[in-house]
């Protein structure tokens, strides 16, 4: 029935508001970015013709200095998810999506070989001025890991944004006086008198043009008509 359908819809919507999946995705993303920042992204080989050839390993935190801070931002976002609701949670989802996009850029660029890897590796390795880079070996797995972690963060941001919109729509629907009065009217019409209705429901039913007393009298009359042994005049 209509009243029962609205009430059931509200009850079903409540558990769905728990952001379990976005939190899991944020945790996975933060762990992925942190792990990637500790792995070697580029191994640079150099020589200066005076000493032995030199080899430097550049980890993700060195190759992209913001990688670890971005992981910490995602950890903070997990706490923020439980602290905010509604529009603020939606804005948080946008921020998380932006962080994800920024975190994905260096790993994606290294994976496809974009940019001057040798020159950047020599600069980050802080080689002497007389040294020259003889080779730079890229390690794809840590870069791909950072991209996958960023993808998880992006998915979490999208879910937070969509969840906020859905919650706002459901909240607006059930707080709307028109729906509330229709729900109350349906509950009064379908009531069998066994369970008392709240004052709020009765007042909303009156506002909708349904008289609870008339409904009760009609129900009593119907019950009398259904009694065994009653004969029509």
């Amino acid at each position: 029935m209509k009243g029962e359908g609205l009430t059931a819809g509200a009850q079903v919507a409540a558990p769905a508001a728990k952001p379990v999946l976005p939190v899991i995705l944020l945790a996975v993303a933060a762990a992925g970015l942190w792990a990637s920042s500790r792995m070697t992204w580029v191994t640079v080989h150099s020589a200066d013709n005076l000493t032995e050839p030199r080899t430097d390993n550049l980890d993700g935190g060195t190759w992209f200095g913001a990688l670890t801070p971005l992981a910490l931002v995602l950890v903070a976002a997990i706490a923020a998810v439980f602290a905010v609701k509604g529009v603020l949670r939606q804005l948080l989802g946008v921020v998380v999506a932006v962080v994800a996009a920024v975190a994905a850029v260096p790993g994606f660029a290294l994976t496809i070989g974009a940019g001057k890897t040798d020159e950047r590796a020599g600069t980050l390795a802080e080689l002497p001025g007389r040294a020259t880079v003889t080779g730079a070996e890229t390690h794809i797995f840590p870069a791909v890991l950072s991209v996958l972690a960023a993808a998880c963060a992006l998915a979490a941001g999208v879910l937070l944004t969509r969840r906020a919109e859905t919650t706002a729509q459901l909240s607006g629907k059930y707080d709307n006086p028109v729906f509330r009065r229709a729900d109350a009217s349906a509950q009064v019409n379908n009531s069998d008198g066994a369970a008392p209705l709240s004052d709020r429901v009765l007042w909303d039913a009156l506002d909708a043009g349904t008289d609870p007393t008339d409904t009760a009298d009609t129900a009593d009359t119907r019950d009398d008509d259904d009694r065994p042994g009653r004969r029509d005049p």
Side-chain angles (χ1 to χ4, degrees):
M1 288 176 282
K2 183 176 180 181
E4 294 177 352
L6 289 174
T7 304
Q11 293 175 349
V12 171
K18 296 180 181 179
V20 177
L21 182 56
V23 168
I24 293 176
L25 290 173
L26 286 173
V28 172
L33 290 182
W34 181 86
S36 179
S37 70
R38 296 296 184 268
M39 298 178 181
T40 300
W41 282 39
V42 178
T43 299
V44 55
H45 305 282
S46 61
D48 58 7
N49 297 324
L50 296 177
T51 60
E52 293 293 329
R54 173 177 169 180
T55 300
D56 294 278
N57 293 320
L58 305 177
D59 59 25
T62 302
W63 189 258
F64 181 52
L67 200 60
T68 301
L70 290 178
L72 295 177
V73 170
L74 295 181
V75 172
I78 295 175
V81 167
F82 295 103
V84 298
K85 294 181 180 180
V87 177
L88 291 179
R89 184 176 290 177
Q90 185 177 10
L91 293 176
L92 176 64
V94 175
V95 172
V96 170
V98 172
V99 170
V102 173
V105 171
F108 180 75
L110 188 65
T111 301
I112 64 175
K116 300 179 179 179
T117 303
D118 292 356
E119 294 183 8
R120 179 175 173 78
T123 301
L124 294 176
E126 299 180 352
L127 300 176
R130 63 180 181 274
T132 57
V133 176
T134 59
E137 178 185 356
T138 59
H139 301 271
I140 300 301
F141 175 74
V144 172
L145 177 61
S146 70
V147 174
L148 294 177
C152 290
L154 179 61
V158 172
L159 287 176
L160 288 173
T161 303
R162 294 182 60 184
R163 188 177 299 274
E165 291 177 348
T166 302
T167 302
Q169 292 173 358
L170 288 174
S171 177
K173 177 178 179 180
Y174 292 108
D175 289 341
N176 191 310
V178 175
F179 288 100
R180 194 178 65 244
R181 291 167 185 169
D183 185 16
S185 179
Q187 290 186 49
V188 169
N189 289 331
N190 297 324
S191 176
D192 57 1
L197 299 175
S198 65
D199 292 340
R200 177 63 180 271
V201 171
L202 295 177
W203 281 112
D204 286 340
L206 286 173
D207 290 339
T210 301
D211 189 346
T213 58
D214 289 346
T215 304
D217 292 341
T218 302
D220 291 341
T221 302
R222 184 171 62 250
D223 292 340
D224 291 340
D225 292 339
D226 292 338
R227 289 175 183 172
R230 178 180 176 84
R231 299 179 180 177
D232 295 332

